[in-house]
Amino acid sequence: MVLVAVFGVALLVAVLLSGLAARTVLSTSFLFLVGGALVSDGFLGLIHITPDSEIVSATADLALFAVLFTDGMHVSFPKLRANWRNPARALGLGMPLAFVGMALITHFLVGLDWTTSFLVGAVLAPTDPVFASAIVGRKEVPAKLRQLLNVESGINDGLALPVVLILIAAAGPTSGHAEADLGKIALELVLGLVFGIVLPFVVIELVRFRLLGAEPKLQPLLPLAIGVILYAVCHLTHANPYLAAFSAGAVLTARSLEAKEAFEPLGEALAELAKFAALLVFGALLTPQLFGDLSFGGYVAVVLAIVLIRPASLLISLLGTTISRKEKLVAAWFGPKGFASVVYGLLVLQSGIPQAEEAFTLIAVCIAFSIIAHSSTDVPIARAFDVDELAGIPEPHKKDTQPAEMHADARP
């Protein structure tokens, strides 16, 4: 119950400061991260959470599923067909380059063996647009840039997971069963994709029957029911829930724009709550001991991962494209490590491989630094695209005669 109380207080503070955060380098994501760290064993000792606590993997898993489900609902297939080349370049060339680059600096600067180094590279390869919402969530930002970041981050989670699982198997005691593991992983991915496509398709077709249909006030619960069922089915059958979530959101939008629009406010709010809970719990893991366990070479690797590996890999993948120089630089910078990396990092820690703890320490510190760096720079960069009222509320110096209203698009 202490954790619930802490979350409630953190949520209240975040809401009260969200207007300020939307206009400055402060971010509510950072508030939850710091809040979790302050109430953990490393400082006030109000909550006791360890990396192997069930609540850590559960909240991160749920948050990633919710975020991917809502991200998938933002995918427009007509726009994607017209602008598929840039996301394909980012995923087909930029992501492998970042994967290999991270593996190299991990091996030579941190001293992990090659298999574990490539495992770290795979865990940190996925990106998360949640921590750059002032960029990807604003219509003033060019559509090509938003589409690139959203599609890349939505798909790279599913692409990285098989690599992570295969490398865990290769580094662990069952390394001789790689072919069986590969077949199992492929089956999980296929099942996730099938469930993510079929379930929303069937439900939307049911709604169109003359005798069926939802009354207006219950319409937002239809996509929610799809998401809940999909989450449960994936975990019961060991299908990939993340690929299922993203594909289900995309299919739902393609089959019923009405359902998407009805669910959007509720879905965004639920995704925010899940995200904030996961950040609070993850922050509780960021104890002074964890930061102290990382070597100097590890900190150098973290900095290089954020300021060199991701930017360089994406810039290389976008060579020869028609995206403007400013948009390329923005896309290259915004490669934050988010919930996918948290979930995959926990898989590494719980795998029992020889260097699991060293790998998780590096991953956790990199995620923390990335959240701070990217969530605190999206507002200044968004202003370069003439995004002014970032919170959806007027600036303090502007007079507003209308009653103040709460808006759902405040930045995380």
Side-chain angles (χ1 to χ4, degrees):
M1 194 53 66
V2 174
L3 182 60
V4 175
V6 169
F7 178 72
V9 172
L11 185 60
L12 176 62
V13 172
V15 171
L16 293 175
L17 294 179
S18 59
L20 174 65
R23 293 188 293 263
T24 65
V25 295
L26 179 68
S27 77
T28 48
S29 296
F30 178 67
L31 291 176
F32 275 89
L33 197 69
V34 172
L38 287 176
V39 300
S40 69
D41 289 328
F43 293 93
L44 299 179
L46 297 179
I47 58 177
H48 310 283
I49 294 176
T50 59
D52 58 352
S53 299
E54 187 176 350
I55 191 173
V56 177
S57 56
T59 53
D61 177 64
L62 185 59
L64 180 58
F65 183 90
V67 168
L68 287 174
F69 187 71
T70 54
D71 281 351
M73 295 180 72
H74 295 151
V75 172
S76 170
F77 285 108
K79 291 181 180 178
L80 186 58
R81 281 193 293 267
N83 299 288
W84 62 270
R85 291 179 178 83
N86 294 330
R89 280 171 169 261
L91 292 166
L93 180 59
M95 186 178 175
L97 286 174
F99 165 54
V100 174
M102 190 65 212
L104 290 173
I105 64 173
T106 298
H107 178 73
F108 289 110
L109 293 178
V110 185
L112 300 183
D113 62 62
W114 279 113
T115 303
T116 308
S117 295
F118 277 103
L119 178 56
V120 171
V123 169
L124 294 176
T127 57
D128 193 334
V130 168
F131 305 108
S133 63
I135 299 295
V136 299
R138 305 299 301 194
K139 294 181 180 179
E140 296 90 337
V141 176
K144 281 187 178 180
L145 176 57
R146 287 186 283 116
Q147 190 88 358
L148 168 62
L149 293 174
N150 268 320
V151 174
E152 178 199 10
S153 62
I155 297 177
N156 60 18
D157 301 329
L159 293 178
L161 181 59
V163 181
V164 170
L165 296 177
I166 291 170
L167 289 172
I168 287 176
T174 59
S175 58
H177 301 85
E179 291 184 5
D181 291 327
L182 185 58
K184 179 182 177 182
I185 293 166
L187 178 61
E188 291 173 353
L189 290 172
V190 171
L191 282 176
L193 184 61
V194 170
F195 290 152
I197 293 174
V198 172
L199 182 59
F201 185 91
V202 171
V203 171
I204 296 301
E205 291 303 312
L206 285 174
V207 172
R208 291 173 178 170
F209 274 100
R210 183 170 298 178
L211 297 178
L212 299 176
E215 63 173 307
K217 70 177 182 180
L218 293 182
Q219 282 182 353
L221 299 183
L222 183 70
L224 178 61
I226 293 174
V228 172
I229 294 171
L230 188 63
Y231 184 79
V233 168
C234 285
H235 282 80
L236 289 172
T237 61
H238 302 289
N240 186 296
Y242 313 126
L243 186 57
F246 187 79
S247 56
V251 170
L252 187 64
T253 298
R255 296 297 299 169
S256 177
L257 190 59
E258 181 184 12
K260 181 252 187 185
E261 292 175 347
F263 176 70
E264 196 164 26
L266 175 62
E268 296 291 346
L270 291 175
E272 288 286 291
L273 282 175
K275 179 194 70 176
F276 287 153
L279 282 171
L280 185 74
V281 171
F282 178 65
L285 300 178
L286 303 178
T287 62
Q289 180 180 352
L290 181 111
F291 286 96
D293 288 342
L294 189 62
S295 64
F296 176 76
Y299 280 101
V300 175
V302 166
V303 173
L304 290 177
I306 296 172
V307 304
L308 177 63
I309 300 299
R310 158 67 185 191
S313 62
L314 195 69
L315 286 174
I316 291 173
S317 71
L318 294 178
L319 286 175
T321 63
T322 57
I323 296 181
S324 69
R325 181 182 178 185
K326 180 170 72 171
E327 292 171 31
K328 286 179 182 178
L329 292 174
V330 171
W333 167 243
F334 283 113
K337 317 305 174 188
F339 299 118
S341 295
V342 173
V343 174
Y344 301 164
L346 291 171
L347 290 177
V348 173
L349 182 65
Q350 297 163 3
S351 65
I353 64 175
Q355 295 182 312
E357 291 187 6
E358 295 92 329
F360 177 77
T361 299
L362 175 62
I363 291 166
V365 173
C366 188
I367 294 170
F369 276 45
S370 175
I371 291 174
I372 295 170
H374 293 106
S375 66
S376 61
T377 53
D378 62 340
V379 165
I381 292 177
R383 296 192 186 280
F385 294 101
D386 299 320
V387 179
D388 294 322
E389 293 184 4
L390 288 152
I393 57 179
E395 298 285 353
H397 64 276
K398 295 181 180 178
K399 293 183 178 180
D400 187 4
T401 58
Q402 301 297 323
E405 296 180 353
M406 294 182 67
H407 293 263
D409 61 345
R411 69 188 291 260

